[in-house]
Amino acid sequence: MARPARNALPDNILSSARTFFATTKTSQGRALLQSERNARLMIDVLRSYVTAGKFRLHDFVVMPDHLHVLLTVGDGMTVERAMQFIKGGFSYRLKKECGYLGEVWQCGFSETRVEDRQSFMKHRDYIAANPVKAGLVDSQEEFPYCFTYLAARKAPGAKALD
């Protein structure tokens, strides 16, 4: 019986982890995420699922009427389930904690599989540039509802979202 090689190349090891760039929009394009309260609630929902180990969050931006995330799901998790956690968790908390009675999200979401580092960086750059492109801020470092802003201001020694 042949013995397996002990020094396999990392590129040859299969992983069940998959990375996605996903976008979801609010119902009827309403600026539901524009208020500080709602944007911070969305960020708290993201943190809670990262802490619970549901997925790894590499980057995000909470725009007034949509959300972009760059996340990795592992074995036993799908991007569909991760987005269900995010959208459902936010909807539930918005209704329970803030008394919101309307529809929160459009049905579905869009996702793109991130296959390599170049794609990863392209999507990360897109997320960072989104608030500037939308005219919300002059510089990506100024937008308070994104990973870049929060990571730059986190306390030394504090754990990042991913």
Side-chain angles (χ1 to χ4, degrees):
M1 185 169 184
R3 296 184 77 181
R6 295 225 182 252
N7 298 316
L9 296 172
D11 292 341
N12 294 339
I13 298 172
L14 295 177
S15 171
S16 61
R18 288 112 36 234
T19 301
F20 296 90
F21 168 74
T23 300
T24 188
K25 297 179 180 180
T26 60
S27 178
Q28 299 179 5
R30 286 192 298 264
L32 189 58
L33 302 170
Q34 183 171 315
S35 73
E36 180 177 354
R37 177 193 72 185
N38 291 357
R40 291 193 184 281
L41 179 63
M42 180 77 255
I43 292 168
D44 192 55
V45 167
L46 292 171
R47 280 187 173 135
S48 70
Y49 289 119
V50 168
T51 300
K54 300 296 183 188
F55 49 80
R56 185 172 181 203
L57 186 63
H58 304 285
D59 210 338
F60 70 89
V61 64
V62 180
M63 298 294 288
D65 63 351
H66 64 280
L67 170 73
H68 294 298
V69 293
L70 186 58
L71 55 81
T72 297
V73 295
D75 194 28
M77 177 65 69
T78 63
V79 67
E80 292 84 4
R81 185 75 174 129
M83 292 305 291
Q84 184 180 27
F85 278 126
I86 292 168
K87 291 171 68 172
F90 179 77
S91 296
Y92 174 79
R93 289 190 55 192
L94 185 65
K95 291 174 182 183
K96 183 179 180 189
E97 297 172 24
C98 305
Y100 185 77
L101 300 176
E103 284 294 317
V104 177
W105 301 106
Q106 286 184 0
C107 291
F109 64 96
S110 64
E111 92 278 350
T112 302
R113 177 87 182 259
V114 176
E115 297 287 348
D116 55 29
R117 179 154 180 76
Q118 181 182 2
S119 176
F120 183 90
M121 296 310 293
K122 179 184 89 169
H123 287 98
R124 191 166 236 184
D125 291 345
Y126 180 85
I127 288 171
N130 211 240
V132 176
K133 185 177 177 184
L136 300 175
V137 290
D138 293 326
S139 167
Q140 63 192 37
E141 293 82 17
E142 298 172 10
F143 193 68
Y145 312 121
C146 67
F147 183 84
T148 303
Y149 180 91
L150 296 173
R153 282 151 185 79
K154 78 174 185 169
K159 188 174 181 184
L161 285 178
D162 63 346

